[in-house]
Amino acid sequence: MSTFLKEEYKTFEAYTPGEQPQDMQYIKLNTNEAPFAHPEAVKRCLDGKIDLLCRYPDPTVKVLREKLAALYGVNKENVFVSNGSDDILNFAVMAFAKKACFADITYGFYPVVCDLHGIEYEKIPLKEDFTICADDYKNKDAMILIANPNAPTGIALGLDDIEKIVSENKDNVVLIDEAYVDFGAKSAKELVKKYKNLMVCMTFSKSRSLAGARVGFAIADEEIIKDLEKIKYSTNPYSINSMSYACAVAVADNNDYYMNNCEKIIKTREKTVTELRKKGFFVLDSKANFVFAKSDKISGEELYLKLKERGVLVRHFSGGRIKDFNRITIGTDEQMDESIKTVNEILKECE
Ligand SMILES: *Cc1c(COP(=O)(O)O)cnc(C)c1O
């Protein structure tokens, strides 16, 4: 720490992203990326495009916003694009949160962003079965952040419950973070037409094999989008670089390919859940591209460490009532077969 750091950041704890180890090849099931490569048409989208970098990109991201508007059945004025959905979460909290509330077990970035901006927040405990109780969110007098499906549990909240929460907090923005929505949950995007306080956030990182490009987007009422633009233009107007922009446009043009990949992940997920339960794991019902599972034969941390030794990387969160769980990203069928085999070997050694 330098002597120059401002008082308010001295005790501030930054977000810890999942490991991206460079030392060896792991079966990488720890940060919910897509295991699938891009189709030929998309692979070629950057060919000869290096000179794009001579100039600034289009700060309005017009072409991509139009394509997303068409895909999601809204107007381009209802779409905001920025450098990953984390970027958008940050803008949204900056713009709209006087106070905030979110579940006690959810995306770890929410409390960090609130702390960054000195915003007080309340953590609302999930029920015993790790589901959200919509009644707990009534008239909160705070911005509400809900990941749907939730992370790291994978559990989805129904649209009725979402609508209830949105309609019972009309004086505040309710942000539904749909980073994993393409893996089986229902999107709240249609409700944007009915509620001016709803903001839906999505990303190209998980379902569209583009985590490295950093492209996220939000769908909301036009006035909310204008507010987000104001913040973006005041921090980093060119937050989508030309390369990522070109890739995201090509990916949007091939949307069916990626949605078909999601179907594959869903099938593999269901197979993985069955296998893990057969081995005595307690596995939450997931609508995401990961499962959250624990065994009573081995602690969460020990399983995480033993898997890592053997080249399988999963995500473990220490502390509280999720300490014995691991979050396991769904990879290809082959990766999951291999990983389950490794889990079985480790469990055998515990007997
Ligand atoms: C991965 C993730 C994000 C961030 O996605 P990026 O677009 O890569 O920044 C946001 N919310 C949740 C719940 C996530 O899991």
Side-chain angles (χ1 to χ4, degrees):
M1 199 184 328
S2 78
T3 53
F4 309 108
L5 189 66
K6 284 157 76 178
E7 207 53 49
E8 62 260 43
Y9 299 124
K10 282 192 175 150
T11 53
F12 170 71
E13 275 208 52
Y15 178 69
T16 315
E19 303 163 85
Q20 308 294 349
Q22 313 292 329
D23 59 329
M24 62 175 265
Q25 277 281 321
Y26 288 93
I27 297 185
K28 204 173 166 303
L29 308 179
N30 71 325
T31 44
N32 301 340
E33 293 133 322
F36 303 115
H38 294 281
E40 275 312 306
V42 176
K43 275 198 207 306
R44 287 194 307 268
C45 76
L46 291 179
D47 288 1
K49 292 270 178 82
I50 187 74
D51 287 339
L52 272 180
L53 295 180
C54 302
R55 304 225 178 248
Y56 283 111
D58 168 19
T60 70
V61 208
K62 179 164 175 278
V63 176
L64 184 57
R65 285 169 69 206
E66 282 169 356
K67 290 194 189 282
L68 289 170
L71 278 177
Y72 287 89
V74 294
N75 299 321
K76 122 174 172 301
E77 288 69 31
N78 299 113
V79 183
F80 176 76
V81 177
S82 201
N83 187 33
S85 51
D86 285 344
D87 204 32
I88 303 179
L89 291 171
N90 179 46
F91 291 164
V93 166
M94 267 175 98
F96 306 120
K98 291 177 224 69
K99 283 186 282 178
C101 69
F102 39 82
D104 62 338
I105 298 165
T106 189
Y107 187 33
F109 193 67
Y110 302 156
V112 174
V113 184
C114 288
D115 283 342
L116 178 66
H117 299 295
I119 290 153
E120 253 181 71
Y121 55 85
E122 178 191 353
K123 288 186 173 184
I124 301 178
L126 296 178
K127 289 193 277 188
E128 189 94 49
D129 63 359
F130 297 101
T131 58
I132 284 175
C133 175
D135 285 327
D136 294 346
Y137 290 77
K138 195 167 176 168
N139 302 328
K140 286 318 285 185
D141 192 28
M143 180 180 180
I144 292 171
L145 300 153
I146 294 178
N148 191 39
N150 197 8
T153 65
I155 296 174
L157 188 64
L159 273 191
D160 290 352
D161 281 330
I162 302 248
E163 181 160 10
K164 182 174 152 66
I165 294 169
V166 174
S167 68
E168 288 176 349
N169 289 281
K170 287 224 172 92
D171 294 335
N172 280 282
V173 170
V174 176
L175 189 158
I176 307 297
D177 180 351
E178 297 190 350
Y180 301 104
V181 77
D182 297 323
F183 303 100
K186 290 226 158 49
S187 173
K189 69 181 164 79
E190 286 300 318
L191 294 176
V192 162
K193 293 171 185 160
K194 194 166 159 194
Y195 296 98
K196 293 197 175 309
N197 62 321
L198 171 62
M199 180 177 159
V200 176
C201 235
M202 299 190 206
T203 175
F204 279 61
S205 296
K206 313 298 178 20
S207 56
R208 291 181 171 98
S209 298
L210 224 55
R214 316 301 307 123
V215 182
F217 58 103
I219 298 174
D221 182 72
E222 208 177 314
E223 299 307 316
I224 284 195
I225 301 297
K226 282 187 200 156
D227 296 341
L228 293 169
E229 295 284 355
K230 189 185 253 183
I231 304 279
K232 181 181 104 163
Y233 278 87
S234 310
T235 50
N236 184 3
Y238 304 107
S239 67
I240 291 288
N241 72 74
S242 313
M243 295 286 124
S244 296
Y245 191 2
C247 294
V249 166
V251 164
D253 283 338
N254 288 271
N255 197 52
D256 290 351
Y257 169 84
Y258 299 93
M259 294 305 112
N260 188 48
N261 281 350
C262 294
E263 294 299 321
K264 286 197 230 169
I265 292 287
I266 291 170
K267 283 205 188 97
T268 308
R269 177 185 73 208
E270 295 312 308
K271 252 172 44 189
T272 304
V273 170
T274 306
E275 281 302 313
L276 287 171
R277 284 184 179 153
K278 246 196 258 168
K279 299 294 166 199
F281 274 85
F282 175 65
V283 190
L284 299 183
D285 283 322
S286 171
K287 294 276 186 235
N289 66 340
F290 55 83
V291 294
F292 204 45
K294 71 170 177 180
S295 162
D296 51 15
K297 296 193 186 70
I298 185 166
S299 78
E301 184 172 22
E302 202 181 344
L303 179 59
Y304 156 74
L305 288 171
K306 290 198 156 152
L307 279 168
K308 188 173 174 184
E309 262 168 33
R310 290 162 216 228
V312 180
L313 208 52
V314 299
R315 183 107 197 240
H316 176 252
F317 301 90
S318 42
R321 57 178 165 148
I322 58 169
K323 71 177 189 330
D324 279 327
F325 283 84
N326 276 294
R327 192 192 69 191
I328 307 165
T329 304
I330 302 300
T332 61
D333 278 323
E334 296 72 32
Q335 288 176 320
M336 297 325 283
D337 289 347
E338 189 63 32
S339 305
I340 298 252
K341 216 174 84 196
T342 310
V343 167
N344 288 340
E345 285 164 18
I346 293 168
L347 288 185
K348 273 229 179 72
E349 287 167 19
C350 296
E351 276 166 10

